[in-house]
Amino acid sequence: MTLRQIVIPLVALAIICFMYFGPITRTPFENIIISIIIIIANYIEYKGKPFSALGFKRVKFNAKSLLMHDPLVALGLFIFYVFAKVP
């Protein structure tokens, strides 16, 4: 494990914790900013290949997947959230 693999996640975590717990007034865009920080940290750590290094691939990207499979997965996750997490 190199120093770069230790420092970059720790700096990103420190920034995120400061934004979440710090004295800065929260805005509705806080989660978006935190997500962008995580994506940038991954981009720097994995040297420009953040999504492929994390396992994301475009193997099954087609219209059927986009219009049929993905909405069904989103609906299933929503139903799980409503019945399992909310009560």
Side-chain angles (χ1 to χ4, degrees):
M1 191 174 257
T2 64
L3 183 64
R4 183 179 192 168
Q5 291 175 326
I6 296 170
V7 172
I8 292 173
L10 288 177
V11 169
L13 182 65
I15 293 170
I16 291 167
C17 286
F18 178 75
M19 287 181 66
Y20 193 73
F21 297 113
I24 298 173
T25 305
R26 291 190 183 168
T27 66
F29 301 107
E30 182 178 73
N31 291 336
I32 295 170
I33 295 169
I34 290 173
S35 299
I36 290 171
I37 291 171
I38 291 171
I39 290 171
I40 291 171
N42 282 327
Y43 186 81
I44 293 170
E45 185 174 349
Y46 292 109
K47 298 175 185 162
K49 297 182 254 181
F51 297 113
S52 61
L54 294 173
F56 294 105
K57 304 201 185 310
R58 287 190 173 197
V59 176
K60 290 184 158 186
F61 184 74
N62 56 25
K64 181 181 176 186
S65 173
L66 186 64
L67 298 174
M68 294 292 290
H69 181 260
D70 297 342
L72 290 175
V73 170
L75 180 66
L77 289 172
F78 176 75
I79 290 171
F80 169 75
Y81 178 75
V82 168
F83 289 111
K85 300 288 278 182
V86 171

